[in-house]
């Protein structure tokens, strides 16, 4: 996906290579996409749902981030000259607290010549169904819907903005899009101040990252993208910023990922923690413990809303045709109804670092451990029960190896937490249960026929998720069964640097594209078993599958290298960080 991400941990937008804001949801990541052109517009108004700066006789467009920031710069060149567009969402410290308003700032200025541009601002409400009523003030436009009001404040000539007239750009213009509130200063002065302080914030945040010696730019960009997926109001981490970008052309695999999967979030906080970005872990821990409290020892959904919403009822937004006409556009996600037994392990894995990391400013102790123990009981009770599995199959259930593996991880980490808290009887209790689950997995999930750990107990098909055995330290890298599994998965699921998720057809047929995180899992596994040169080669090829801004989708078509699926996918960005941290040459060896 050739898109750039801007955001501030309250809202986020996606911008195409020509500088069009074509995805921006309010009042938060999972809200109404007031700019939705990414997923289509009405046939009579193809430019609706976008904020565009169009150049007359455009010849060339280029894009880049200001280094180590979430500020995006687009340059358009045409016969009349060149224009620079700078886009960001304000984020900085003000009055002793974090300032991250639901706001998007766009600054445009002439670079060369006397270019002519057309400004088009066409939001719509209710997933494209409702055109706003527009009112005009001295320096602002108000876009009014039935339940929403969006204000655009600018020092640009608003008559020309409304009429979409071609005009010469002879001076800078600032556009501030956000709540229906009056600015305390002129748009240009406000935009300049917000830009300077936002730039300083991100440069300071990036400077504190504990980056590896190699691939620093890739790691910093991945870290910023992951940070932007954290909704700081609650601590939730969304799997991606989008809904319904198809996993493969015309596949129907169009899902809404603007929610918090405890599985994905665990890997995100672990990756950021490895870079010393601990604040996200603190925020997520609070969100997670609210989930635990709400469950009262019972069932925990694999996915919840970013405000802890449980009902994510799935429906289709029929006014939108879908990405490149490939509908449907789905809102909500049926996975909230699923039973996925790996959930309990992922919750405990996500919470466990808080008990060991002395950098955190939290009072974590026996009470929090006691809150987690009922999840361990659930994991113990369910480790040999069928479920929908990590890939959220909608029409069948099995005893999935990856689910049982995470049930083991739940008991294993509880044993370690109890040891850290000096509660030896509970440490022994959970260690005994972890050992029992481990023995069952080793017995039931190994296939002599395939010479590998397989997708489900007693099964014969392969699934890349068993590579998580390495990631959660279930088996030592020296174990021959793990090595054989890596080889078997590479032969069966590998497609060059990429990997399929599994062999068997699912609800929509046989998978057609590589699932990026599986490829990164293989890189990690190869490095663990000592095949580091091979891992480095594959990792380099995977980095080449990023878009020009260093961001990555959920999937990659292994025959064309084109990215598919929701964007940017946290799992994929996590893979970049983990791969670089594991494979990089050390600072000490190089300096």
């Amino acid at each position: 996906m050739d898109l750039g991400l801007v955001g501030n941990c309250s809202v986020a937008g996606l911008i195409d290579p020509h500088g069009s804001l074509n995805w921006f949801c309010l009042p938060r990541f999972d809200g109404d996409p007031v700019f939705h052109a990414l997923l289509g517009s009405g046939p009579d108004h193809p430019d609706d749902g976008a904020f565009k700066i169009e150049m007359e006789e455009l010849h060339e467009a280029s894009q880049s981030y200001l280094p180590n920031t979430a500020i995006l710069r687009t340059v358009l060149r045409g016969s009349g000259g060149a224009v620079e567009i700078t886009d960001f969402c304000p984020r900085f410290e003000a009055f002793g607290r974090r300032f991250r308003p639901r706001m998007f700032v766009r600054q445009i200025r002439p670079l060369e010549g006397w270019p002519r541009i057309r400004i088009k601002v066409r939001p719509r409400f209710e997933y494209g169904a409702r055109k706003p009523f527009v009112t005009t003030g001295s320096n602002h436009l108000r876009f009014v819907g039935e339940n929403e009001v969006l204000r655009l404040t600018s020092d640009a000539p608003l008559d020309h903005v409304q009429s979409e007239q071609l005009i010469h750009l002879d001076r800078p213009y600032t556009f501030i899009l956000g709540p229906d509130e009056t600015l305390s200063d002129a748009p240009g002065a406000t935009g300049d101040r917000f830009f300077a302080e936002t730039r300083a914030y991100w440069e300071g945040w990036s400077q504190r990252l504990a980056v590896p010696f190699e691939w620093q730019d890739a790691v910093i960009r991945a870290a910023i993208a992951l940070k932007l997926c954290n909704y700081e109001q609650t601590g939730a981490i969304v799997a991606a910023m989008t809904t319904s970008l198809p996993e493969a052309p015309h596949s129907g695999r169009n899902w809404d990922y603007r929610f918090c999967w405890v599985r994905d979030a665990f890997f995100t906080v672990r990756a950021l923690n490895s870079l010393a970005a601990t604040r996200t872990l603190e925020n997520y821990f609070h969100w997670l413990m609210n989930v635990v409290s709400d469950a009262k020892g019972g069932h925990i959904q694999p996915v919840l809303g970013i405000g802890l919403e449980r009902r994510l009822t799935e429906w289709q937004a029929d006014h939108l045709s879908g990405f490149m006409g490939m509908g449907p556009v789905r809102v909500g996600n049926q996975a909230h109804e699923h039973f996925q037994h790996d959930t309990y392990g992922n919750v405990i894995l996500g919470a466990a670092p808080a008990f060991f990391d002395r950098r955190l400013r939290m009072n974590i102790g026996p009470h929090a451990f006691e809150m987690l123990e009922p999840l361990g009981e659930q994991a113990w009770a369910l480790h040999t029960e069928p479920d929908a599995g990590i890939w959220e199959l909608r029409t069948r259930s099995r005893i999935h190896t990856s689910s049982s593996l995470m049930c083991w991880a739940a008991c294993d980490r509880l044993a370690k937490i109890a040891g850290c808290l000096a509660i030896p009887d509970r440490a022994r209790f959970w260690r005994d249960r972890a050992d029992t689950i481990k023995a069952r997995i080793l017995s039931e999930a190994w296939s002599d026929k395939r010479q590998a750990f397989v997708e489900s107990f007693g099964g014969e098909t392969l699934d890349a998720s068993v590579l998580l055995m390495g990631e959660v330290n279930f088996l030592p890298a020296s174990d021959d069964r793990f090595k054989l599994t890596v080889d078997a998965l590479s032969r069966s699921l590998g497609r060059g640097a990429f990997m399929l998720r599994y062999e068997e057809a699912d609800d929509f047929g046989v998978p057609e594209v590589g699932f990026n995180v599986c490829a990164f899992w293989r890189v990690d596994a190869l490095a663990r078993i000592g095949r580091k040169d091979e891992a480095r080669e594959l990792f380099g090829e995977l980095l080449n599958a990023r878009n020009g801004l260093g961001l990555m989708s959920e999937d990659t078509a292994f025959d064309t290298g084109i990215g598919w699926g929701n964007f940017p996918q946290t799992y994929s960005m996590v893979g970049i960080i983990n791969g670089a941290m594991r494979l990089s040459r050390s600072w000490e060896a190089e300096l």
Side-chain angles (χ1 to χ4, degrees):
M1 297 289 174
D2 287 329
L3 299 166
L5 171 69
V6 298
N8 63 2
C9 301
S10 287
V11 290
L14 295 175
I15 297 162
D16 77 9
H18 291 167
S20 175
L21 175 66
N22 58 15
W23 188 256
F24 188 76
C25 297
L26 287 173
R28 57 188 201 182
F29 304 152
D30 59 350
D32 186 11
V34 294
F35 293 104
H36 55 69
L38 181 64
L39 295 182
S41 301
D44 299 329
H45 302 282
D47 288 338
D48 280 3
F51 183 172
K52 294 186 175 184
I53 308 295
E54 295 181 344
M55 170 169 278
E56 185 179 39
E57 298 181 18
L58 177 66
H59 295 165
E60 179 187 342
S62 61
Q63 240 174 7
S64 62
Y65 281 106
L66 270 64
N68 300 342
T69 76
I71 301 173
L72 186 64
R73 179 176 182 264
T74 306
V75 176
L76 306 178
R77 298 183 183 277
S79 56
V83 172
E84 178 190 68
I85 306 169
T86 302
D87 293 318
F88 64 97
C89 296
R91 179 180 174 84
F92 49 88
E93 298 287 339
F95 306 109
R97 59 188 177 187
R98 189 66 42 77
F99 181 69
R100 37 172 162 70
R102 293 179 167 93
M103 181 182 291
F104 171 80
V105 179
R106 165 160 282 183
Q107 297 178 301
I108 60 174
R109 67 184 182 94
L111 288 181
E112 300 170 8
W114 206 21
R116 290 224 300 171
I117 63 169
R118 189 189 314 274
I119 302 165
K120 294 182 178 180
V121 187
R122 297 190 184 179
R124 288 183 76 95
F125 298 131
E126 298 176 25
Y127 286 84
R130 186 178 294 273
K131 185 176 181 178
F133 176 71
V134 182
T135 67
T136 307
S138 57
N139 292 292
H140 69 265
L141 300 175
R142 295 171 73 247
F143 301 92
V144 182
E146 187 172 340
N147 301 305
E148 302 171 89
V149 178
L150 187 63
R151 181 187 287 237
L152 178 71
T153 305
S154 180
D155 49 14
L158 294 181
D159 282 3
H160 291 330
V161 174
Q162 283 190 282
S163 67
E164 299 179 352
Q165 173 68 40
L166 269 172
I167 58 172
H168 285 291
L169 184 67
D170 58 354
R171 60 186 177 87
Y173 293 140
T174 295
F175 299 87
I176 299 177
L177 187 75
D180 189 22
E181 300 171 355
T182 302
L183 297 180
S184 60
D185 206 342
T190 300
D192 288 345
R193 179 170 66 86
F194 284 2
F195 170 83
E197 297 205 43
T198 299
R199 182 175 187 173
Y201 167 81
W202 284 113
E203 288 176 342
W205 187 85
S206 298
Q207 187 179 42
R208 294 189 293 272
L209 295 176
V211 296
F213 180 78
E214 296 181 89
W215 304 296
Q216 291 181 39
D217 289 340
V219 168
I220 292 170
R221 181 55 48 206
I224 291 173
L226 292 180
K227 179 67 174 175
L228 294 179
C229 290
N230 176 211
Y231 185 71
E232 278 189 345
Q233 296 270 3
T234 65
I237 300 168
V238 295
M241 288 296 179
T242 55
T243 177
S244 303
L245 294 182
E247 294 180 14
H250 303 286
S251 64
R253 301 173 187 265
N254 300 14
W255 315 116
D256 193 346
Y257 277 12
R258 300 172 299 159
F259 308 114
C260 187
W261 273 261
V262 295
R263 177 190 310 117
D264 302 46
F266 154 64
F267 286 105
T268 296
V269 296
R270 189 179 69 164
L272 287 174
N273 223 40
S274 73
L275 300 174
T278 59
R279 181 69 63 84
T280 303
L281 169 61
E282 292 178 333
N283 292 338
Y284 178 63
F285 181 84
H286 291 300
W287 183 89
L288 204 55
M289 295 310 287
N290 279 316
V291 172
V292 172
S293 295
D294 288 344
K296 295 180 171 58
H299 169 65
I300 291 181
Q301 296 174 196
V303 55
L304 294 100
I306 57 181
L308 296 170
E309 297 85 1
R310 293 189 178 192
R311 293 187 61 81
L312 307 176
T313 304
E314 191 174 295
W315 58 279
Q316 295 185 13
D318 295 330
H319 286 85
L320 300 178
S321 59
F323 178 73
M324 299 178 66
M326 300 179 198
V329 173
R330 292 188 173 95
V331 183
N333 199 301
Q334 189 215 1
H336 79 278
E337 301 174 358
H338 289 187
F339 287 82
Q340 298 173 25
H341 301 332
D342 66 320
T343 298
Y344 305 98
N346 284 303
V347 171
I348 293 172
L349 284 167
F355 292 88
F356 297 90
D357 196 330
R358 300 307 180 200
R359 297 170 296 175
L360 304 184
R361 294 174 293 181
M362 297 189 296
N363 182 21
I364 305 299
H367 178 67
F369 170 69
E370 291 168 6
M371 291 174 64
L372 292 176
E373 284 198 288
L375 277 66
E377 294 291 350
Q378 287 278 36
W380 170 252
L382 296 170
H383 76 275
T384 56
E385 295 295 321
D387 73 343
I390 186 173
W391 308 124
E392 301 183 337
L393 302 176
R394 297 188 170 204
T395 59
R396 70 167 186 246
S397 62
R398 294 173 178 170
I399 304 173
H400 289 94
T401 302
S402 58
S403 295
S404 190
L405 173 68
M406 289 302 172
C407 290
W408 168 84
C411 298
D412 175 77
R413 295 323 192 257
L414 285 173
K416 291 178 178 176
I417 294 170
C420 175
L421 297 174
I423 314 174
D425 58 327
R426 301 311 292 167
R428 287 191 298 271
F429 177 84
W430 290 113
R431 176 56 53 210
D432 289 344
R433 287 194 163 181
D435 290 346
T436 300
I437 297 175
K438 183 172 186 176
R440 188 70 178 267
I441 294 171
L442 294 176
S443 171
E444 300 289 341
W446 175 259
S447 169
D448 287 328
K449 178 181 178 182
R450 300 303 301 268
Q451 286 293 288
F453 290 105
V454 290
E455 176 254 6
S456 57
F457 282 17
E460 294 294 346
T461 62
L462 300 183
D463 187 312
S465 64
V466 301
L467 290 173
L468 290 171
M469 289 181 172
E471 291 237 3
V472 299
N473 297 314
F474 177 78
L475 285 177
S478 58
D479 191 289
D480 288 338
R481 291 165 295 186
F482 185 66
K483 294 178 180 178
L484 289 169
T485 299
V486 174
D487 286 337
L489 290 170
S490 294
R491 289 192 302 269
S492 177
L493 303 180
R495 300 292 187 274
F498 305 103
M499 286 194 78
L500 299 174
R501 283 178 283 186
Y502 37 75
E503 290 178 321
E504 196 173 6
D506 59 20
D507 308 336
F508 294 83
V510 177
E512 306 168 52
V513 294
F515 198 72
N516 290 326
V517 72
C518 297
F520 285 115
W521 288 343
R522 176 171 60 160
V523 165
D524 180 83
L526 288 169
R528 287 175 185 271
I529 63 178
R531 290 156 62 177
K532 198 167 183 177
D533 289 344
E534 184 179 352
R536 287 177 64 91
E537 181 179 352
L538 293 175
F539 184 65
E541 292 183 47
L542 290 171
L543 290 183
N544 291 335
R546 297 172 300 156
N547 71 12
L549 294 170
L551 303 176
M552 206 167 191
S553 300
E554 178 183 35
D555 309 271
T556 301
F558 36 78
D559 51 347
T560 64
I562 294 175
W564 290 94
N566 283 308
F567 179 92
Q569 176 73 10
T570 54
Y571 251 155
S572 301
M573 306 311 293
V574 163
I576 293 169
I577 293 172
N578 289 347
M581 295 296 281
R582 183 163 294 280
L583 295 172
S584 174
R585 299 191 301 273
S586 71
W587 288 88
E588 291 80 2
E590 297 298 324
L591 296 178

